[in-house]
């Protein structure tokens, strides 16, 4: 992203890339939004970036709705511990979505990804499996 008033700022470029990734949009989508906001105006790049981010979020406010293990469990009808079992890359469910963020407090998933998994998931029944006769 280039500042219309001064030369390019590598820190601003890095911040813009990180923000785009955090919002789940491509750098190209963000660049398009910045171009729309600029519309012939001479503004600092940081201001254009903030205006563009606001526009992107206003267009689709639910796009970036994140949930933790407890909320994902509520959606799926399982415990927080079961969500972590499903999410385990080695032993979990192969279709379970990858977390968008790994924080010290835990993993975060997009709500839409969990809802989509819920529609595909063939749940096991609770309790011990019946013995085959």
């Amino acid at each position: 992203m280039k500042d219309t008033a001064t030369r390019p700022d590598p820190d601003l470029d890095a911040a813009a890339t990180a923000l785009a990734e955090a919002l789940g949009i491509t750098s190209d989508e963000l660049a398009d939004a910045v171009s729309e906001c600029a519309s012939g105006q001479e503004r600092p790049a940081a201001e254009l970036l903030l205006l563009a981010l606001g526009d992107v979020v206003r267009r689709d406010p639910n796009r970036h709705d994140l949930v933790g293990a407890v909320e994902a469990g509520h959606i799926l009808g399982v415990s927080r511990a079961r969500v972590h079992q499903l999410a385990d890359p080695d032993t979990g469910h192969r279709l379970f979505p990858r977390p968008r963020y790994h924080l010290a407090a835990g993993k975060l998933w997009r709500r839409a990804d969990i809802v989509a998994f819920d529609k595909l998931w063939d749940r096991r029944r609770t309790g011990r499996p019946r013995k085959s006769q």
Side-chain angles (χ1 to χ4, degrees), residues 65-126:
D65 193 10
L66 300 174
V67 296
V70 172
E71 295 87 356
H74 287 286
I75 294 167
L76 299 172
V78 299
S79 69
R80 172 190 60 80
R82 180 68 176 132
V83 169
H84 287 296
Q85 288 175 343
L86 291 166
D88 186 292
D90 296 326
T91 59
H93 196 285
R94 64 181 177 76
L95 296 178
F96 198 82
R98 300 181 98 197
R100 294 296 174 140
Y101 303 100
H102 295 266
L103 306 175
K107 298 174 183 173
L108 295 176
W109 294 268
R110 280 187 49 222
R111 179 180 301 275
D113 293 344
I114 298 297
V115 169
F117 172 76
D118 187 38
K119 291 177 184 174
L120 296 173
W121 185 33
D122 182 25
R123 286 179 177 74
R124 284 195 225 171
R125 303 221 184 274
T126 58

Side-chain angles (χ1 to χ4, degrees), residues 5-80:
T6 62
R7 58 182 199 263
D9 179 353
D11 291 336
L12 185 60
D13 286 343
T17 301
L19 283 168
E21 182 179 323
L23 290 171
I25 61 174
T26 66
S27 295
D28 289 340
E29 287 176 297
L30 183 57
D32 290 344
V34 169
S35 294
E36 290 173 22
C37 288
S39 63
Q41 302 176 40
E42 291 268 338
R43 291 184 180 215
E47 186 177 340
L48 289 172
L49 175 61
L50 290 174
L51 290 170
L53 289 170
D55 284 350
V56 167
V57 171
R58 273 193 300 278
R59 287 181 201 154
D60 188 1
N62 296 320
R63 179 178 183 169
H64 315 293
D65 193 10
L66 300 174
V67 296
V70 172
E71 295 87 356
H74 287 286
I75 294 167
L76 299 172
V78 299
S79 69
R80 172 190 60 80

